[in-house]
Amino acid sequence: MAIRNILKYPEKSLSQPSVTVDVIDDEIKQLIQDMGETMFDDAGVGLAAPQVGINQRILVYDAHATDPEAREDIKEIIALINPEIIATQGSFISEDEGCLSVVEYRANVKRYEKVTVKALDMDGKQIQFEAEGILSVIMQHEIDHLDGVLFIDRISPLKRAMYKKKRLKELKKENEDT
Ligand code: NI
C-alpha cells in the first residue's frame, strides 16, 4: 500500500476523459487500495483514479460517508469500476462542495438529488444502486472526474475565472519562493 500524489488543478490530465477498464487485474486492485489510503490520508470522502494520474474509469469512496460517527473509526472503502449514471431525479444545491484536486476552494454546485448508478465492483460483478444526499453528490462529483470534469466547471464562468486567477498567482508565488 502506498499514498499516491494527488494531482491539483490546473494539471491538464484532470481535464481529460478516462478510458474504460477491461480487466480488473492485480495492478488495478493495488491502485484501488492505494487510492483508498490516499483518500483517507487527505480526509476525503471520494477519489477518482485520474486524481492520482491514472486516466482509467475507477473511483473509490468512503463506505461510511453518510455516517460521521462511523467514519471516525472505520476506514473502509467501496470501489466502483466503469461507473455510469443511468437515471437521475430532481435537483438541489450541494453546498460548499470541495475537491482534493482543487486547492483551497469550495462552492455551491447544482446537482441531481438522486441518481441511479451502474458499475462493476472489485470482483467484476455488475451492481446497480440508487444514491441520494451526500452519496448522490459523491457519485456525480467522482464520475465527473472520469469525464475530465471538475466541480469548478459547474460553477459560473466568472467564479471559475476568479479561482483560476487566484490559483495561478499562488502557483507563481510558490515557484518564486523555491
Ligand atoms: Ni474531486
Side-chain angles (χ1 to χ4, degrees), residues 11-19 50 54-57 144-150:
E11 179 72 45
K12 278 202 176 63
S13 66
L14 287 170
S15 303
Q16 286 160 359
S18 291
V19 299
I54 309 286
N55 280 84
Q56 298 203 43
R57 302 189 77 85
D144 266 355
H145 274 299
L146 305 181
D147 294 324
V149 174
L150 299 175

Side-chain angles (χ1 to χ4, degrees), residues 46-48 51 97-102 141-142 145 149-151:
L47 190 74
Q51 292 182 274
E97 209 172 302
C99 176
L100 298 179
S101 293
V102 179
H141 180 114
E142 303 309 332
H145 274 299
V149 174
L150 299 175
F151 80 93

Side-chain angles (χ1 to χ4, degrees), residues 35 44 57 101 135 138 157-158 168:
M35 282 170 65
R57 302 189 77 85
S101 293
L135 192 56
I138 294 172
L158 179 66
L168 293 179

Side-chain angles (χ1 to χ4, degrees), residues 8-36:
K8 308 283 182 354
Y9 175 85
E11 179 72 45
K12 278 202 176 63
S13 66
L14 287 170
S15 303
Q16 286 160 359
S18 291
V19 299
T20 302
V21 175
D22 293 325
V23 188
I24 304 166
D25 55 15
D26 287 347
E27 203 178 317
I28 296 283
K29 286 181 180 169
Q30 183 62 58
L31 169 66
I32 287 169
Q33 294 308 324
D34 288 355
M35 282 170 65

Side-chain angles (χ1 to χ4, degrees), residues 36 38-40 42-48 51 59-67 71 76-78 97-100 106 134-135 137-139 141-142:
T38 305
M39 178 185 80
F40 286 128
D42 218 346
V45 288
L47 190 74
Q51 292 182 274
L59 65 84
V60 301
Y61 62 100
D62 185 339
H64 303 283
T66 56
D67 182 352
R71 268 199 80 200
E76 193 184 347
I77 58 160
I78 296 175
E97 209 172 302
C99 176
L100 298 179
R106 289 186 168 270
I134 182 164
L135 192 56
V137 174
I138 294 172
M139 290 304 125
H141 180 114
E142 303 309 332

Side-chain angles (χ1 to χ4, degrees), residues 6 22 50 63 78 84 94 99 104 152 168:
I6 298 181
D22 293 325
I78 296 175
E84 275 176 77
S94 147
C99 176
E104 282 169 26
I152 50 173
L168 293 179

